[in-house]
Amino acid sequence: MTALGTSSTVAVVGTGTMGQGIAQVALVAGHRVLLHDTAPGRAAQAAEAIGSRLDRLVEKGRIPADVRDAARARLSPATALAELADAALVIEAILEQLPAKQELFTALEDIVTADCLLATNTSSLSVTAVAGRLRHPGRCVGLHFFNPAPLLPLVEVISGFATDEAAATTAYDTAAAWGKRPVRCADTPGFIVNRIARPFYAEALRVYEERVADPATIDAVLREGTGFKMGPFELTDLIGQDVNEAVTHSVWQAFFQDPKFTPSLAQRRLVESGLHGRKAGRGWFDYSEGAPRPEPRTAEPCPAPASVGLHGKLPGPAAVLRELIEEAGIKVTGDRTPGVAEGSIRLPGGARLALTNGGPATTPAQENCIRFDLSLDYRAATRIALAAPAAVSEEDLAEAVGLFQALGKQVSVIEDVPGMIVARTVAMIIDFAVDAAARGVATPEDIDTAMRLGVNYPGGPMEWVERLGARWVGDLLDSMHHQNAGGRYVPSWALRRRADLEELVL
């Protein structure tokens, strides 16, 4: 272990919510902590606020009173930057503006000792660029905490192009000693979480812009259909639409306007309107007192079919549907319908039910095939989305709805769109993750850890690709690319290579 000992002083520059949270983490870990802010009196106010939070921890029985008292005694505001001279680690949490961060670290380099570690909490700027003006950029590292820092365990430890390995290791070990779960990351736009999570927001916004479903329905399908804790619209309202859109725009620009990262015009208009989410009282949803929360689109109860036919094997997680159908008391018979290559469920009226393959439900070749959306766990899912071709009868659609309702699922019938909601979102997240791992951004294990802990995903995308198969994910994205030319859905070379390797192993 090369973690900084508790005898080392930690300084935090910037005393907003994130700065205070980081200071509290270091303080509770046993360090002397100095707080500095350029605004007069702000550091002293922050110290009082941290003290009040420690008081609440005592009231809740989280820490003893003597621990609180000792921590308070180790916390001091610093009115001038020069007072940070004896710090062994300085963490900046100031405005997300590159010139401001560069100016701060340039000034600190003339104040602190030669072995002082300089860390930036940037969430979207290049650590390499932040350190670019330093005489000794090797001691600058990214320490990206997640808000609220005292509660969320993940810390991304980012090595800039010039960061010394010893500096990155010290930062990693120190974060671990503070009770955090650090992950290592190369200096790439968005790092791990903000890079790989982009499709979770982007695909939902795209589905909304294509008038496939309303925000409440999209949220419900992702939340109830596959286990995400929050839907993308309610989550961006919580984060702040202005914050989320700024990160998306920053990552898009940093990737030279790669179409895979294109921001949403709908979100831009929301931000321009000042509807920034919960903090503004309104975003995608209205948070004013007494305002009703919109309900997701949910199909009315329909009778379940007495029997269905099963043709072939349903792919991936959908294979369990046969068990669920039989457990619901619905008879399952074999079906050898000529010319049907994919696994599907034959309904009594003659329509088929098949997992989305990335194409639309309405195609001349499959005019009577209703598509159902992906779930990572159909047994646990409580909501499923269906998309029907234009020519399907109301009776056939009612049979499909009734079948899933008999399995204990609520059903949202959405407009026909390639990839539906969950499938396109999960496939894009997987593609981003596989590509990031292949490029050395982070290890597959750290990617999964980051996505589970940083954004509370129900699993890691590298785990998902093992379950779904790279070939299935790649084929779905290829199909979507055929429907949406422009490069957004082209599978990465890393995903294609993984699919080829899977087939060689089999």
Side-chain angles (χ1 to χ4, degrees), residues 126-129 131 137-138 140-142 157-164 168 185-188:
S126 163
V127 173
T128 302
C140 185
V141 65
V157 181
I158 305 104
S159 292
F161 185 79
T163 301
D164 292 336
C185 178
D187 189 13
T188 184

Side-chain angles (χ1 to χ4, degrees), residues 138-174:
R139 61 167 160 177
C140 185
V141 65
L143 270 180
H144 180 213
F145 289 77
F146 288 74
N147 194 30
L151 297 179
L152 294 186
L154 184 69
V155 176
E156 292 176 322
V157 181
I158 305 104
S159 292
F161 185 79
T163 301
D164 292 336
E165 175 60 26
T169 299
T170 297
Y172 181 97
D173 290 345
T174 298

Side-chain angles (χ1 to χ4, degrees), residues 328-384:
I330 299 171
K331 184 179 179 182
V332 179
T333 62
D335 183 357
R336 297 292 182 266
T337 307
V340 180
E342 63 182 338
S344 62
I345 300 167
R346 177 70 64 177
L347 298 168
R352 291 192 304 116
L353 263 173
L355 177 63
T356 179
N357 61 1
T362 302
T363 62
Q366 300 180 9
E367 62 181 18
N368 211 24
C369 182
I370 300 167
R371 295 288 174 177
F372 61 88
D373 207 349
L374 174 70
S375 174
L376 295 168
D377 186 347
Y378 284 96
R379 186 173 288 278
T382 58
R383 183 178 295 271
I384 297 294

Side-chain angles (χ1 to χ4, degrees), residues 26-281:
L27 193 65
V28 171
H31 292 269
R32 174 181 175 237
V33 175
L34 299 174
L35 287 171
H36 176 72
D37 199 292
T38 55
R42 188 74 60 80
Q45 292 171 4
E48 285 299 317
I50 293 170
S52 297
R53 283 198 290 274
L54 293 176
D55 289 340
R56 288 195 291 273
L57 290 177
V58 172
E59 292 169 4
K60 294 177 180 179
R62 304 279 179 81
I63 60 173
D66 60 336
V67 170
R68 184 265 322 271
D69 295 341
R72 275 180 170 273
R74 294 193 303 271
L75 179 63
S76 304
T79 56
L81 205 61
E83 295 176 44
L84 312 185
D86 67 342
L89 167 63
V90 180
I91 305 174
E92 71 80 14
I94 64 173
L95 292 175
E96 198 74 340
Q97 296 175 358
L98 180 60
K101 293 179 188 292
Q102 290 176 326
E103 182 179 347
L104 170 63
F105 281 127
T106 300
L108 282 169
E109 197 171 32
D110 291 331
I111 294 170
V112 298
T113 61
D115 59 351
C116 176
L117 188 63
L118 302 178
T120 173
N121 185 58
T122 183
S123 61
S124 60
L125 298 177
S126 163
V127 173
T128 302
V130 170
R133 293 185 181 177
L134 295 176
R135 296 188 301 274
H136 303 289
R139 61 167 160 177
C140 185
V141 65
L143 270 180
H144 180 213
F145 289 77
F146 288 74
N147 194 30
L151 297 179
L152 294 186
L154 184 69
V155 176
E156 292 176 322
V157 181
I158 305 104
S159 292
F161 185 79
T163 301
D164 292 336
E165 175 60 26
T169 299
T170 297
Y172 181 97
D173 290 345
T174 298
W178 290 356
K180 296 301 180 181
R181 178 57 177 89
V183 292
R184 287 180 177 266
C185 178
D187 189 13
T188 184
F191 312 136
I192 301 175
V193 173
N194 279 329
R195 172 178 175 153
I196 295 173
R198 288 347 299 156
F200 183 70
Y201 315 111
E203 292 309 305
L205 288 162
R206 183 93 167 214
V207 167
Y208 168 78
E209 290 172 338
E210 293 169 349
R211 304 184 71 83
V212 173
D214 60 278
T217 300
I218 296 168
D219 276 0
V221 169
L222 282 160
R223 190 178 59 244
E224 301 167 30
T226 208
F228 289 100
K229 300 300 182 186
M230 298 181 74
F233 291 96
E234 59 187 341
L235 180 55
T236 51
D237 269 356
L238 179 63
I239 294 168
Q241 296 299 332
D242 52 337
V243 174
N244 182 262
E245 200 260 353
V247 172
T248 297
H249 195 271
S250 173
V251 172
W252 175 61
Q253 291 284 20
F255 275 114
F256 308 104
Q257 301 185 1
D258 186 327
K260 288 179 177 287
F261 297 91
T262 302
S264 162
L265 182 59
Q267 189 177 38
R268 179 93 287 266
R269 293 291 179 260
L270 198 71
V271 172
E272 289 173 341
S273 300
L275 304 178
H276 294 170
R278 286 181 179 271
K279 62 187 177 184

